[in-house]
C-alpha cells in the first residue's frame, strides 16, 4: 500500500502537471525539472516515484480514467431505466472531462505519436468497450436491446463518445456541454434500444 508521503507527493506532482498544462504549457515542452519544482520536490525525488514523463502521464490518466469508469458504471451495472442511468453517467463523464481536460487532451495528443501511450490509451478505452458490450448483451437477452452486434456497437459508441468529448474540449468556441450530453444520450439509446 502506498505510504502517506508517497500519496502526498504523487498528488503534488499531479496538481503541478495539471497546473502547468492549464497555464498553456504543452506536454512535449514540459520537462521534469519544471514539474518537480512546481510540485516542491527535487528532480531526483521525481525519478524515485516515476520512471519518466511518459509514465507520469499514463499514471495520472489512469487515475482520471478510474473516475470516468466509476461514472460509466452507473449504466454498465444499472438495473433501472436505461435513459436516466445513461444521462447521469454521461453528464458526470462530461464534468470529469471539463475538470481534467488538460490531462485528457495530453494523453490523446501523445497517443498520436507515441506507440506505448497509444496502446495504453486503447487499453483504457477497451475496458469501457468490454463493459458496454456486456450490458448490451444482457439487454439483448432480456429482449430490451435491438443492437445486433454488441461488440461492434460497444466499440463504435465508446470511441465515438471519447472523440466527441475530446473534440468538445479543443473547440475554440464550444457549444453547451448539456447539448453534447443530450446528443450522446440519444445516439446511445437509439443504437442500443432502438428508441
Amino acid at each position: 500500500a502506498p505510504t502517506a508521503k508517497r500519496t502526498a507527493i504523487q498528488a503534488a506532482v499531479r496538481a503541478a502537471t495539471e497546473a502547468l498544462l492549464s497555464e498553456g504549457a504543452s506536454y512535449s515542452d514540459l520537462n521534469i525539472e519544471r514539474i518537480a519544482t512546481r510540485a516542491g520536490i527535487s528532480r531526483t525525488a521525481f525519478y524515485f516515484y516515476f520512471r519518466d514523463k511518459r509514465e507520469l502521464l499514463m499514471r495520472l490518466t489512469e487515475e482520471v480514467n478510474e473516475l470516468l469508469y466509476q461514472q460509466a458504471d452507473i449504466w454498465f451495472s444499472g438495473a433501472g431505466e436505461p435513459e436516466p442511468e445513461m444521462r447521469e453517467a454521461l453528464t458526470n463523464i462530461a464534468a470529469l472531462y471539463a475538470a481534467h481536460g488538460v490531462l485528457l487532451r495530453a494523453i490523446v495528443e501523445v497517443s498520436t505519436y507515441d506507440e506505448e501511450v497509444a496502446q495504453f490509451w486503447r487499453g483504457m478505452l477497451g475496458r469501457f468497450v468490454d463493459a458496454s458490450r456486456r450490458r448490451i448483451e444482457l439487454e439483448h437477452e432480456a429482449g430490451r436491446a435491438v443492437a445486433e452486434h454488441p461488440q461492434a456497437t460497444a466499440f463504435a459508441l465508446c470511441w465515438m463518445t471519447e472523440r466527441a468529448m475530446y473534440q468538445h474540449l479543443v473547440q475554440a468556441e464550444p457549444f453547451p456541454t448539456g447539448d453534447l450530453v443530450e446528443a450522446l444520450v440519444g445516439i446511445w439509446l437509439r443504437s442500443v434500444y432502438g428508441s
Side-chain angles (χ1 to χ4, degrees):
T3 64
K5 181 180 179 184
R6 175 181 286 272
T7 301
I9 288 175
Q10 289 176 338
V13 171
R14 179 180 64 245
T17 305
E18 284 190 311
L20 289 165
L21 290 169
S22 295
E23 291 164 10
S26 71
Y27 174 79
S28 58
D29 291 338
L30 273 185
N31 60 45
I32 302 302
E33 187 72 42
R34 196 169 168 198
I35 295 168
T37 300
R38 176 64 73 93
I41 62 173
S42 69
R43 183 184 172 92
T44 304
F46 177 94
Y47 286 113
F48 181 77
Y49 296 101
F50 302 97
R51 184 182 72 232
D52 53 23
K53 202 168 71 163
R54 176 194 287 145
E55 184 188 358
L56 168 65
L57 180 62
M58 291 192 295
R59 291 235 317 258
L60 296 181
T61 304
E62 209 165 41
E63 293 172 16
V64 174
N65 196 264
E66 186 56 39
L67 297 174
L68 291 167
Y69 191 88
Q70 288 169 10
Q71 297 310 314
D73 198 48
I74 292 168
W75 180 70
F76 295 155
S77 300
E81 285 297 312
E83 184 171 346
E85 289 174 354
M86 201 169 282
R87 181 169 285 106
E88 182 181 357
L90 287 166
T91 298
N92 296 347
I93 287 169
L96 285 167
Y97 260 80
H100 300 283
V102 290
L103 280 178
L104 294 167
R105 283 177 68 161
I107 196 81
V108 170
E109 289 162 14
V110 174
S111 72
T112 64
Y113 59 80
D114 184 314
E115 185 54 31
E116 184 178 341
V117 172
Q119 287 181 19
F120 166 81
W121 189 235
R122 287 192 295 268
M124 291 283 102
L125 263 290
R127 186 177 175 210
F128 289 78
V129 173
D130 289 344
S132 297
R133 174 190 48 78
R134 287 192 299 272
R135 174 73 193 254
I136 292 169
E137 287 171 347
L138 288 171
E139 295 289 54
H140 206 275
E141 289 166 13
R144 291 188 294 265
V146 299
E148 291 294 325
H149 308 283
Q151 177 67 34
T153 301
F155 179 87
L157 289 171
C158 288
W159 278 103
M160 173 209 64
T161 301
E162 184 270 354
R163 287 293 111 164
M165 293 279 185
Y166 168 78
Q167 286 298 328
H168 190 257
L169 278 177
V170 299
Q171 296 296 311
E173 295 181 25
F175 51 87
T177 303
D179 293 355
L180 176 61
V181 168
E182 287 305 312
L184 290 170
V185 168
I187 292 166
W188 276 81
L189 288 173
R190 286 188 295 278
S191 299
V192 176
Y193 301 98
S195 62

